[in-house]
């Protein structure tokens, strides 16, 4: 009984307080309360594909693949979609699993006709066949245009790879011929020298794309720089830190660079031998501390780190290591992350 008495007293005090607060509410409160569930849509803090316009001076970047060669539901392999306010759209790399993310953007395939491949690893071009031939069944009626680097010898170059791809899928092509309009099955391959620096490889509709050499495996890897309307986007693809990226990415609005798992996590998470982890994580790829050092010299408005499994028990360590060498704005990329870029700022959301 004693506890019941005091409980009743507490409830009475609480009720009195609530009633007092209600009594001082402004007259418009009831009207405002009705708007809590309005008929009209409210402002979103996420991006829903095909739901909002792109301003004439705006760039939108969508992460369609941010992970590792072994894809998983959460992260496909490397792919970034860049949409511009003039209507142009560009795909940078098209790694394994990324086609699904591209399709989710609800963009007609006719408009997705420009693909830039940084190098010929499967995690950077593995979904190109399905995007190419699958596009014919999605009513692509324009040729698919592909830009990619040469190699040290012709058989290591993009043109040779695309020739072999068409031969490998001759049966698939044969089944479609005469059944679907195959204009979208035509490939326009533009191979350019991998070792040219700040090399202009695309110049249309006010958009310029240049290539710079990347350092990754064999000769024949590049990074890309897109400039339009005073905005600058840089995509490193895969590369260890190098002088060309630092020089030509400087001052970018958005600079994307690989940021691999640090060697200790390669050992504990992926079963690498310690020496292998050190070699792969710092000589074949870019460790988080190295990523931070590169960005401290590039000084972009936003740095984007990708190419690692972005999990709850990994991201804090990656960010801690980046912060040893870089204190600027940074996104640890995950699939479906979206950046809207204007001269006034960069907005980061998920879709």
């Amino acid at each position: 009984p004693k506890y019941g008495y005091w409980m009743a007293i507490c409830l009475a005090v609480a009720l009195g307080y609530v009633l007092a607060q209600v009594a001082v509410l402004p007259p418009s409160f009831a009207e405002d309360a009705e708007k809590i569930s309005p008929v009209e849509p409210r402002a979103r803090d996420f991006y829903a594909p095909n739901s909002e316009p792109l301003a004439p001076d705006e760039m939108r970047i969508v992460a369609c693949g941010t992970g590792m060669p072994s894809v998983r539901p959460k992260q496909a392999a490397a792919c970034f979609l860049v949409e511009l306010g003039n209507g142009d759209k560009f795909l940078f790399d098209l790694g394994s699993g990324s086609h699904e993310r591209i399709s989710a953007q609800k963009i007609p395939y006719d408009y997705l006709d420009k693909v830039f491949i940084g190098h010929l690893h499967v995690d950077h071009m593995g979904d190109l066949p399905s995007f190419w031939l699958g596009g014919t069944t999605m009513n692509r009626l324009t040729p698919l245009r592909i830009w990619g680097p040469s190699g040290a010898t012709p058989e290591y170059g993009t043109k040779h790879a695309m020739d072999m791809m068409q031969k490998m899928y001759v049966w698939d092509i044969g089944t479609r011929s005469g059944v679907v309009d195959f204009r979208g099955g035509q490939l326009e391959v533009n191979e350019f020298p991998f070792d040219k620096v700040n090399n202009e490889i695309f110049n249309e509709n006010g958009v310029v794309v240049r290539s710079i050499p990347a350092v990754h495996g064999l000769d024949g890897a590049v990074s890309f720089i897109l400039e339009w309307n005073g905005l600058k986007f840089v995509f490193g693809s895969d590369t260890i830190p190098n002088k060309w990226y630092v020089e030509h990415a400087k001052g970018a609005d958005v600079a994307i660079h690989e940021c691999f798992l640090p060697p200790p996590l390669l050992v504990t998470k992926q079963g690498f031998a310690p020496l292998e982890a050190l070699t792969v994580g710092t000589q074949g790829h870019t460790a988080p501390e190295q990523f931070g050092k590169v960005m401290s010299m590039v000084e972009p408005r936003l740095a984007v780190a990708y190419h690692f499994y972005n999990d709850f028990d990994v991201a804090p360590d990656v960010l801690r290591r980046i912060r040893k060498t870089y204190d600027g704005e940074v996104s640890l990329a995950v699939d479906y992350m979206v950046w809207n870029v204007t001269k006034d700022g960069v907005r980061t959301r998920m879709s």
Side-chain angles (χ1 to χ4, degrees):
K2 178 174 64 175
Y3 295 114
Y5 171 79
W6 286 111
M7 184 176 292
I9 292 294
C10 291
L11 287 173
V13 171
L15 179 60
Y17 175 80
V18 171
L19 291 174
Q21 296 302 310
V22 171
V24 299
L25 288 173
S28 62
F29 175 76
E31 297 176 5
D32 292 340
E34 292 177 0
K35 295 177 182 178
I36 291 175
S37 297
V39 175
E40 298 298 322
R42 299 176 296 283
R44 295 175 174 150
D45 57 2
F46 65 92
Y47 172 65
N50 193 33
S51 69
E52 60 186 49
L54 198 61
D57 61 347
E58 187 177 10
M59 173 189 294
R60 180 164 55 227
I61 304 162
V62 182
C64 296
T66 61
M68 303 281 278
S70 298
V71 302
R72 58 184 187 159
K74 182 178 177 180
Q75 286 177 283
C79 180
F80 288 83
L81 166 67
V82 176
E83 301 180 80
L84 304 180
N86 66 0
D88 276 334
K89 305 177 196 313
F90 303 82
L91 288 166
F92 289 91
D93 281 352
L94 223 163
S96 311
S98 62
H99 186 186
E100 176 192 12
R101 276 83 164 134
I102 297 167
S103 179
Q105 302 310 306
K106 301 297 183 182
I107 299 171
Y109 276 59
D110 268 355
Y111 300 125
L112 296 169
D113 64 344
K114 294 179 283 293
V115 180
F116 292 78
I117 302 296
H119 60 285
L120 297 173
H121 272 154
V122 69
D123 57 323
H124 293 260
M125 51 81 71
D127 260 21
L128 182 57
S130 70
F131 181 74
W132 161 47
L133 291 171
T136 63
T137 63
M138 293 297 291
N139 204 38
R140 184 198 296 121
L141 300 177
T142 56
L144 184 60
R145 306 169 68 189
I146 298 170
W147 284 261
S150 64
T153 55
E155 66 270 22
Y156 284 95
T158 301
K159 185 179 183 305
H160 180 74
M162 297 302 99
D163 288 344
M164 294 297 101
M165 182 177 74
Q166 292 179 81
K167 290 179 180 179
M168 181 171 69
Y169 286 102
V170 66
W171 189 90
D172 188 299
I173 295 169
T175 64
R176 300 174 195 274
S177 300
V179 179
V180 298
D181 189 326
F182 204 69
R183 283 177 288 174
Q186 304 301 313
L187 289 181
E188 180 188 302
V189 181
N190 303 278
E191 183 178 286
F192 55 86
F194 76 89
D195 55 354
K196 282 196 172 182
V197 179
N198 207 29
N199 180 32
E200 185 178 295
I201 59 175
F202 179 93
N203 189 340
E204 297 178 16
N205 202 21
V207 185
V208 175
V209 179
R210 296 183 174 89
S211 69
I212 55 175
V215 183
H216 182 64
L218 304 175
D219 287 342
V222 298
S223 300
F224 296 107
I225 302 161
L226 181 151
E227 294 182 278
W228 166 76
N229 194 40
L231 299 176
K232 184 175 181 179
F233 163 84
V234 180
F235 176 62
S237 193
D238 271 2
T239 185
I240 61 173
N242 65 77
K243 61 182 181 181
W244 302 293
Y245 189 97
V246 170
E247 178 182 352
H248 296 285
K250 188 169 270 302
D253 294 284
V254 175
I256 299 175
H257 196 289
E258 66 151 292
C259 179
F260 220 59
L261 286 178
L265 288 182
L266 287 175
V267 173
T268 59
K269 288 287 186 181
Q270 296 188 232
F272 278 48
L275 181 58
E276 181 186 20
L278 185 63
T279 302
V280 172
T282 62
Q283 301 302 309
H285 290 279
T286 299
E289 295 89 343
Q290 294 172 313
F291 169 90
K293 183 62 177 178
V294 168
M295 291 304 167
S296 71
M297 293 186 284
V298 170
E299 297 181 306
R301 293 169 74 191
L302 176 69
V304 177
Y306 91 108
H307 215 335
F308 65 96
Y309 287 147
N310 192 342
D311 293 327
F312 76 95
D313 57 346
V314 170
D317 189 29
V318 169
L319 183 60
R320 178 182 63 81
R321 291 169 178 271
I322 290 173
R323 289 304 186 205
K324 291 179 179 180
T325 51
Y326 181 62
D327 61 1
E329 293 292 326
V330 62
S331 290
L332 302 185
V334 68
D335 291 16
Y336 298 115
M337 190 173 278
V338 180
W339 302 270
N340 286 72
V341 187
T342 66
K343 293 178 181 178
D344 295 327
V346 181
R347 183 185 184 191
T348 304
R349 294 178 290 172
M350 290 298 299
S351 58

